[in-house]
Amino acid sequence: QVQLVESGGGLVQPGGSLRLSCAASGIFFRIDAMGWYRQAPGKQRELVANIPTGGRTNYADSVEGRFTISRDNVKNSVYLQMNSLTPEDTAVYYCNARGYIDYGRRFNSWGQGTQVTVSS
């Protein structure tokens, strides 16, 4: 089983910045991609950004140019630097990782979520 632990959420004023972190632990063969999703009240969970192993990063149009995703493959961690935050970025942010536990078994794990609130 693969566990994801997030940190870094909180309250920030419009225009401010936050950095989210997520670390994967447990027994697994490899991670194919890590990413961040978010869910605002009354809305569906949506992709914010993801970064496949050895592949190109993907961003939602709404965060392109403001958010930056990065990975540390040695630490099995993913980060989300969020700049120029607006109230529309307020949501619970979830870390996601998918890959293989062993040669034949895949995993798709989620973190517990961290609240990001952008308000003056």
Side-chain angles (χ1 to χ4, degrees), residues 33-85:
M34 299 187 78
W36 291 93
Y37 290 71
R38 68 185 181 186
Q39 188 167 17
K43 294 186 177 181
Q44 290 187 335
R45 190 174 297 188
E46 63 176 1
L47 173 70
V48 176
N50 71 354
I51 179 169
T53 300
R56 296 179 63 179
T57 57
N58 300 291
Y59 293 95
D61 290 342
S62 59
V63 307
E64 184 86 49
R66 300 187 297 122
F67 291 9
T68 302
I69 190 171
S70 59
R71 275 178 66 176
D72 184 330
N73 293 326
V74 174
K75 296 181 178 180
N76 295 315
S77 295
V78 63
Y79 309 94
L80 187 68
Q81 178 66 43
M82 304 184 294
N83 298 328
S84 302
L85 285 161

Side-chain angles (χ1 to χ4, degrees), residues 1-37:
Q1 191 170 356
V2 180
Q3 295 84 37
L4 302 177
V5 177
E6 302 142 337
S7 61
L11 173 64
V12 63
Q13 292 186 342
S17 299
L18 281 175
R19 178 178 167 87
L20 305 183
S21 300
C22 172
S25 63
I27 299 174
F28 49 87
F29 175 56
R30 75 170 192 234
I31 296 176
D32 288 340
M34 299 187 78
W36 291 93
Y37 290 71

